[in-house]
PDB file of all heavy atoms in Angstrom:
ATOM      1  N   THR M 285     115.767 111.778  77.247  1.00  0.00           N
ATOM      2  CA  THR M 285     114.812 110.695  77.449  1.00  0.00           C
ATOM      3  C   THR M 285     115.393 109.716  78.495  1.00  0.00           C
ATOM      4  O   THR M 285     116.440 109.919  79.027  1.00  0.00           O
ATOM      5  CB  THR M 285     114.498 109.973  76.132  1.00  0.00           C
ATOM      6  OG1 THR M 285     115.730 109.454  75.561  1.00  0.00           O
ATOM      7  CG2 THR M 285     113.920 110.928  75.156  1.00  0.00           C
ATOM      8  N   ALA M 286     114.608 108.665  78.780  1.00  0.00           N
ATOM      9  CA  ALA M 286     115.068 107.687  79.740  1.00  0.00           C
ATOM     10  C   ALA M 286     114.766 106.330  79.238  1.00  0.00           C
ATOM     11  O   ALA M 286     113.725 106.027  78.684  1.00  0.00           O
ATOM     12  CB  ALA M 286     114.330 107.923  81.098  1.00  0.00           C
ATOM     13  N   PRO M 287     115.684 105.359  79.465  1.00  0.00           N
ATOM     14  CA  PRO M 287     115.471 104.000  79.032  1.00  0.00           C
ATOM     15  C   PRO M 287     114.373 103.313  79.882  1.00  0.00           C
ATOM     16  O   PRO M 287     114.057 103.803  80.979  1.00  0.00           O
ATOM     17  CB  PRO M 287     116.772 103.308  79.239  1.00  0.00           C
ATOM     18  CG  PRO M 287     117.406 104.090  80.370  1.00  0.00           C
ATOM     19  CD  PRO M 287     116.978 105.516  80.123  1.00  0.00           C
ATOM     20  N   SER M 288     113.801 102.288  79.386  1.00  0.00           N
ATOM     21  CA  SER M 288     112.788 101.577  80.124  1.00  0.00           C
ATOM     22  C   SER M 288     113.365 101.038  81.422  1.00  0.00           C
ATOM     23  O   SER M 288     114.385 100.337  81.408  1.00  0.00           O
ATOM     24  CB  SER M 288     112.169 100.413  79.345  1.00  0.00           C
ATOM     25  OG  SER M 288     111.368  99.619  80.141  1.00  0.00           O
ATOM     26  N   PRO M 289     112.720 101.296  82.554  1.00  0.00           N
ATOM     27  CA  PRO M 289     113.245 100.703  83.834  1.00  0.00           C
ATOM     28  C   PRO M 289     113.162  99.211  83.841  1.00  0.00           C
ATOM     29  O   PRO M 289     113.829  98.561  84.647  1.00  0.00           O
ATOM     30  CB  PRO M 289     112.345 101.389  84.903  1.00  0.00           C
ATOM     31  CG  PRO M 289     111.100 101.815  84.163  1.00  0.00           C
ATOM     32  CD  PRO M 289     111.547 102.153  82.773  1.00  0.00           C
ATOM     33  N   CYS M 290     112.374  98.605  82.974  1.00  0.00           N
ATOM     34  CA  CYS M 290     112.269  97.134  82.891  1.00  0.00           C
ATOM     35  C   CYS M 290     113.554  96.510  82.526  1.00  0.00           C
ATOM     36  O   CYS M 290     113.820  95.357  82.863  1.00  0.00           O
ATOM     37  CB  CYS M 290     111.131  96.729  81.940  1.00  0.00           C
ATOM     38  SG  CYS M 290     109.497  97.345  82.396  1.00  0.00           S
ATOM     39  N   LYS M 291     114.435  97.254  81.808  1.00  0.00           N
ATOM     40  CA  LYS M 291     115.678  96.662  81.334  1.00  0.00           C
ATOM     41  C   LYS M 291     116.580  96.349  82.450  1.00  0.00           C
ATOM     42  O   LYS M 291     117.396  95.389  82.372  1.00  0.00           O
ATOM     43  CB  LYS M 291     116.364  97.633  80.360  1.00  0.00           C
ATOM     44  CG  LYS M 291     115.643  97.799  79.003  1.00  0.00           C
ATOM     45  CD  LYS M 291     116.431  98.719  78.095  1.00  0.00           C
ATOM     46  CE  LYS M 291     115.701  98.810  76.728  1.00  0.00           C
ATOM     47  NZ  LYS M 291     116.500  99.692  75.770  1.00  0.00           N
ATOM     48  N   SER M 292     116.498  97.057  83.584  1.00  0.00           N
ATOM     49  CA  SER M 292     117.354  96.789  84.730  1.00  0.00           C
ATOM     50  C   SER M 292     116.575  96.077  85.831  1.00  0.00           C
ATOM     51  O   SER M 292     117.149  95.944  86.939  1.00  0.00           O
ATOM     52  CB  SER M 292     117.930  98.106  85.243  1.00  0.00           C
ATOM     53  OG  SER M 292     116.887  99.027  85.644  1.00  0.00           O
ATOM     54  N   CYS M 293     115.403  95.617  85.581  1.00  0.00           N
ATOM     55  CA  CYS M 293     114.586  94.934  86.614  1.00  0.00           C
ATOM     56  C   CYS M 293     114.618  93.422  86.254  1.00  0.00           C
ATOM     57  O   CYS M 293     113.831  92.934  85.430  1.00  0.00           O
ATOM     58  CB  CYS M 293     113.131  95.451  86.532  1.00  0.00           C
ATOM     59  SG  CYS M 293     112.020  94.690  87.762  1.00  0.00           S
ATOM     60  N   ALA M 294     115.454  92.705  86.973  1.00  0.00           N
ATOM     61  CA  ALA M 294     115.657  91.299  86.671  1.00  0.00           C
ATOM     62  C   ALA M 294     114.427  90.475  87.142  1.00  0.00           C
ATOM     63  O   ALA M 294     114.043  89.527  86.443  1.00  0.00           O
ATOM     64  CB  ALA M 294     116.933  90.773  87.363  1.00  0.00           C
ATOM     65  N   ALA M 295     113.814  90.827  88.256  1.00  0.00           N
ATOM     66  CA  ALA M 295     112.750  90.012  88.769  1.00  0.00           C
ATOM     67  C   ALA M 295     111.442  90.213  88.010  1.00  0.00           C
ATOM     68  O   ALA M 295     110.654  89.269  87.865  1.00  0.00           O
ATOM     69  CB  ALA M 295     112.525  90.392  90.243  1.00  0.00           C
ATOM     70  N   ARG M 296     111.178  91.384  87.561  1.00  0.00           N
ATOM     71  CA  ARG M 296     109.941  91.726  86.861  1.00  0.00           C
ATOM     72  C   ARG M 296     108.703  91.184  87.583  1.00  0.00           C
ATOM     73  O   ARG M 296     107.947  90.393  87.029  1.00  0.00           O
ATOM     74  CB  ARG M 296     110.007  91.255  85.410  1.00  0.00           C
ATOM     75  CG  ARG M 296     111.126  91.911  84.614  1.00  0.00           C
ATOM     76  CD  ARG M 296     110.978  91.714  83.157  1.00  0.00           C
ATOM     77  NE  ARG M 296     112.017  92.521  82.457  1.00  0.00           N
ATOM     78  CZ  ARG M 296     112.128  92.648  81.119  1.00  0.00           C
ATOM     79  NH1 ARG M 296     111.250  91.986  80.343  1.00  0.00           N
ATOM     80  NH2 ARG M 296     113.041  93.401  80.572  1.00  0.00           N
ATOM     81  N   PRO M 297     108.510  91.614  88.832  1.00  0.00           N
ATOM     82  CA  PRO M 297     107.396  91.080  89.618  1.00  0.00           C
ATOM     83  C   PRO M 297     106.041  91.376  89.051  1.00  0.00           C
ATOM     84  O   PRO M 297     105.075  90.667  89.464  1.00  0.00           O
ATOM     85  CB  PRO M 297     107.597  91.761  90.981  1.00  0.00           C
ATOM     86  CG  PRO M 297     108.320  93.023  90.687  1.00  0.00           C
ATOM     87  CD  PRO M 297     109.240  92.665  89.558  1.00  0.00           C
ATOM     88  N   CYS M 298     105.858  92.379  88.187  1.00  0.00           N
ATOM     89  CA  CYS M 298     104.568  92.682  87.608  1.00  0.00           C
ATOM     90  C   CYS M 298     103.961  91.511  86.857  1.00  0.00           C
ATOM     91  O   CYS M 298     102.756  91.376  86.783  1.00  0.00           O
ATOM     92  CB  CYS M 298     104.670  93.885  86.717  1.00  0.00           C
ATOM     93  SG  CYS M 298     105.789  93.681  85.304  1.00  0.00           S
ATOM     94  N   ARG M 299     104.829  90.607  86.289  1.00  0.00           N
ATOM     95  CA  ARG M 299     104.374  89.540  85.486  1.00  0.00           C
ATOM     96  C   ARG M 299     103.452  88.534  86.212  1.00  0.00           C
ATOM     97  O   ARG M 299     102.586  87.910  85.661  1.00  0.00           O
ATOM     98  CB  ARG M 299     105.487  88.826  84.832  1.00  0.00           C
ATOM     99  CG  ARG M 299     106.279  89.669  83.792  1.00  0.00           C
ATOM    100  CD  ARG M 299     107.491  88.865  83.242  1.00  0.00           C
ATOM    101  NE  ARG M 299     108.400  88.442  84.231  1.00  0.00           N
ATOM    102  CZ  ARG M 299     109.478  87.730  84.002  1.00  0.00           C
ATOM    103  NH1 ARG M 299     109.736  87.366  82.751  1.00  0.00           N
ATOM    104  NH2 ARG M 299     110.312  87.349  84.918  1.00  0.00           N
TER     105      ARG M 299
END
Side-chain angles (χ1 to χ4, degrees):
T285 58
S288 171
C290 299
K291 291 183 177 181
S292 59
C293 182
R296 299 193 172 187
C298 62
R299 293 180 301 181

